[in-house]
Amino acid sequence: KQWYQRRVRVAGVRLNSINPAIGTDADPEKFSLVHKEVVDSAYRIIELKGYTSWAIGLTVRTLCSAILSNSHRVYPLSACVKGLNGVQDDVYLSLPCLVTSVGISHVIPQQLDASEVSKLQTSAKQLKTVTDGIKW
């Protein structure tokens, strides 16, 4: 199995729980082709434009619009993970978040196996070590 057959989630839902054939030859949605197109598109955008700064501006606009319209949409955003999945440190990681008129209203809970929880905790500890080393 490809990594995305086990790991890809949309709004916290594993895609293989909806489509068990994802990424295989039997996949009616041909996710492996979509995955390749997405990866290749970043290089194509840089090749055509020479930069990607518009994406940052559009993302900010989208998030502001979601807050102002109280849209209740899910976006991958940096959120405090202290207390989630056994993380003890005050660090921020990118997780699916529900955005409402108050900003991030909720972090969408993830269904992680023991290996994924361990990796998340390791990432949080490494990030804490790096941020503690910054001279403010």
Side-chain angles (χ1 to χ4, degrees):
K1 284 188 168 184
Q2 296 290 331
W3 65 268
Y4 53 78
Q5 292 173 267
R6 299 180 311 276
R7 304 282 188 233
V8 174
R9 295 181 174 97
V10 175
V13 177
R14 285 183 194 247
L15 292 185
N16 67 354
S17 71
I18 296 169
N19 176 5
I22 192 166
T24 67
D25 292 336
D27 181 2
E29 296 169 335
K30 307 291 184 221
F31 182 82
S32 58
L33 294 177
V34 173
H35 175 259
K36 183 179 181 343
E37 287 177 28
V38 169
V39 170
D40 292 346
S41 70
Y43 299 108
R44 184 77 175 132
I45 290 168
I46 293 170
E47 178 183 309
L48 292 171
K49 291 177 26 180
Y51 56 90
T52 59
S53 60
W54 278 98
I56 296 166
L58 290 172
T59 300
V60 170
R61 181 217 166 266
T62 299
L63 292 173
C64 289
S65 178
I67 291 167
L68 293 172
S69 65
N70 196 26
S71 68
H72 287 80
R73 291 195 177 162
V74 176
Y75 296 99
L77 299 172
S78 292
C80 184
V81 295
K82 184 175 185 176
L84 294 174
N85 295 302
V87 174
Q88 300 299 315
D89 298 312
D90 190 19
V91 295
Y92 289 73
L93 298 174
S94 182
L95 296 170
C97 298
L98 180 66
V99 175
T100 67
S101 62
V102 298
I104 295 176
S105 151
H106 297 83
V107 174
I108 306 298
Q110 301 296 292
Q111 297 175 350
L112 303 177
D113 61 31
S115 168
E116 293 169 319
V117 169
S118 175
K119 288 175 184 174
L120 181 73
Q121 291 171 350
T122 299
S123 292
K125 286 177 187 174
Q126 289 175 340
L127 186 58
K128 177 68 172 162
T129 300
V130 169
T131 55
D132 284 348
I134 297 173
K135 305 290 186 234
W136 299 99

